[in-house]
C-alpha cells in the first residue's frame, strides 16, 4: 500500500491520523502541486478528480475519498476499531462523522477557498459566501458544545473517526479565524483530550 | 422502526429508494414543516439538527443522516447488497457515493437554496454563489460521463447506493435547470436504466 499525500490538506490529514491510530506505517508520496502531476493522465487514472489523498493497493487498484480509504483500512486492520463495533454504534459514528464533515469541516474549507488570496484565479471565489460559511460553522460549534455535555468523545464512548474529522475541522477553523469560544468548555476539554494523542501530530 | 420523512427532500428520497430496493416497508411519518414540529425539543432530541430523514428504532433510539441510516439498514437487512460485498467493492461504492453527494447533489442543493425564492428569509442566500454551484455540477456531469463509459452502474457491476445518490442529484438538477446534455449518452442511458426500476418512484 502507498498513500498519495498532501501534507496541508485536511482530508489527507484525516487519513494520516487514522493510519497513526491503527499503528500503520505505509509509504507516502507527497504530491507537489506545483509540478502539476495531479493533472496528468497517470494521476487522473488513480483519481479522476485529481485530488489527494489516494490509497494505492499492491495490485495497483486505487481508492480515493478520505472516508472510503478509512473504511477500507478499518476492514483490513480492524484493531483498534475507529468506526464502531455494533450496527447502531457504526451508524452513530457515521452520523457524527458526516455532521462534523458537512456542517463543520466543509463550511470552513469553503470559507478558506472563497476568502483566501492563495485560491484567487484557481477557484471561482465568491467573497459574500465567506461570512455565510463562517456563521454556519459557528452555529455547528454551538450544537456540538451541547452534544458534548457529559461525553468524552463525539460519537461513542471511545475515540472514533468522527473525532478525527472534527479535529481536522477545528484546525481548518484556526486557519480562517473561526474558533471555539472560551466558554465552549466541552469542546475545549475535548480538544485538549484528542490533541494529547500522539496521532494528532500525524 | 419508523421513518420521519420529508417527501420533497432529496436526502429523504435516498432513504426511501434504499428501503424500496431492500423490499422493506416501514411506517413513515411525514413532518409538516409549517407546523414547526422539527424545531420542538421533542424532535430535536431525535436529531439535534432538526432535519429529516430520521430513523427511529423500536427502543426509541434514533439515527439521522441519510447515509448513516442506509448503512444501518444494510447491516440489518443485507439482501440485496447495496453497499458492496468485499472490502474493495465497499470502498469503491463509498468513494462513488461521496463523489455523487459532494460533487453533484450538494452543489445542486446549494444552487437551489441560494437561488430559489422559497428559501428567502429562511437561509442566508448568496445569489453570486448560484452560478458557481451550477458550474461545479456541470463539470461533475462531465467526468461522470467519462467514468460511465462501458459501465451499467456508477460504482460496481450492480446497482448500488451510489446510483441512488446520483439519481436524487439528477432530480435536484432538474429543479434548478442543470441537466445532462443530450450528447452525454452514458449518463442518459444510465438514467433510463435506473429510473426503470420500481424503486425510482419511492
Amino acid at each position: 500500500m502507498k498513500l498519495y499525500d498532501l501534507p496541508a490538506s485536511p482530508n489527507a490529514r484525516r487519513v494520516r491520523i487514522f493510519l497513526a491510530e491503527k499503528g500503520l506505517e505505509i509509504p507516502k508520496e507527497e504530491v507537489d502541486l506545483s509540478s502539476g502531476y495531479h493533472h496528468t493522465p497517470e494521476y487522473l487514472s488513480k483519481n479522476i478528480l485529481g485530488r489527494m489523498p489516494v490509497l494505492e493497493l499492491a495490485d495497483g487498484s486505487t481508492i480515493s475519498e478520505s472516508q472510503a480509504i478509512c473504511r477500507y483500512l478499518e476492514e483490513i486492520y480492524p484493531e483498534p476499531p475507529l468506526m464502531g463495533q455494533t450496527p447502531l454504534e457504526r451508524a452513530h459514528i457515521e452520523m457524527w462523522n458526516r455532521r462534523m464533515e458537512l456542517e463543520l469541516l466543509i463550511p470552513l474549507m469553503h470559507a478558506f477557498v472563497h476568502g483566501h488570496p492563495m485560491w484567487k484565479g484557481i477557484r471561482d471565489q465568491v467573497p459574500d459566501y465567506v461570512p455565510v460559511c463562517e456563521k454556519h460553522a459557528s452555529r455547528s460549534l454551538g450544537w456540538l458544545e451541547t452534544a458534548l455535555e457529559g461525553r468524552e468523545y463525539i460519537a461513542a464512548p471511545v475515540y472514533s473517526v468522527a473525532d478525527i474529522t472534527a479535529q481536522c475541522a477545528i484546525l481548518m477553523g484556526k486557519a480562517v479565524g473561526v474558533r471555539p469560544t472560551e466558554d465552549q468548555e466541552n469542546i475545549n476539554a475535548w480538544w485538549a483530550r484528542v490533541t494529547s494523542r500522539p496521532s494528532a501530530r500525524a
Side-chain angles (χ1 to χ4, degrees), chain A:
Chain A
M1 287 200 305
K2 170 179 167 179
L3 186 73
Y4 290 88
D5 193 14
L6 186 67
S9 152
N11 287 321
R13 181 175 293 115
R14 289 161 75 181
V15 173
R16 291 198 306 272
I17 296 178
F18 196 94
L19 285 165
E21 287 284 337
K22 291 282 184 188
L24 294 170
E25 289 196 26
I26 66 170
K28 297 186 183 76
E29 180 174 327
E30 216 176 282
V31 175
D32 174 7
L33 294 186
S34 69
S35 75
Y37 174 55
H38 56 306
H39 295 315
T40 62
E42 181 181 313
Y43 193 80
L44 293 174
S45 75
K46 303 180 195 300
N47 179 0
I48 198 169
L49 292 176
R51 296 185 196 156
M52 283 60 71
V54 164
L55 184 70
E56 192 167 66
L57 307 182
D59 69 355
S61 62
T62 52
I63 305 168
S64 52
E65 295 295 326
S66 55
Q67 195 55 24
I69 294 172
C70 291
R71 186 164 313 278
Y72 179 80
L73 294 169
E74 178 85 355
E75 290 207 44
I76 305 295
Y77 304 99
E79 296 299 329
L82 293 168
M83 291 182 161
Q85 296 189 274
T86 67
L88 187 58
E89 195 177 78
R90 281 191 282 273
H92 280 156
I93 289 172
E94 175 139 9
M95 173 181 86
W96 274 105
N97 189 55
R98 286 173 58 83
R99 287 174 174 172
M100 293 300 97
E101 179 170 42
L102 299 176
E103 312 297 334
L104 197 58
L105 177 57
I106 290 181
L108 291 166
M109 288 175 78
H110 280 177
F112 184 60
V113 165
H114 287 277
H116 197 281
M118 78 168 263
W119 291 98
K120 205 171 170 179
I122 300 174
R123 292 279 285 269
D124 296 310
Q125 291 187 308
V126 181
D128 286 352
Y129 189 45
V130 175
V132 173
C133 294
E134 291 172 348
K135 188 172 147 189
H136 184 167
S138 294
R139 206 168 40 228
S140 300
L141 290 173
W143 50 251
L144 178 60
E145 173 68 14
T146 304
L148 273 173
E149 182 66 34
R151 286 161 73 170
E152 282 196 60
Y153 298 104
I154 287 176
V158 297
Y159 183 83
S160 78
V161 71
D163 296 292
I164 296 177
T165 302
Q167 272 174 263
C168 295
I170 298 287
L171 278 176
M172 186 76 244
K174 286 177 189 283
V176 296
V178 178
R179 296 177 177 83
T181 55
E182 267 187 39
D183 65 349
Q184 289 180 327
E185 291 175 10
N186 295 326
I187 296 180
N188 291 322
W190 162 86
W191 175 250
R193 200 172 291 127
V194 295
T195 51
S196 71
R197 302 171 79 88
S199 66
R201 292 184 292 279

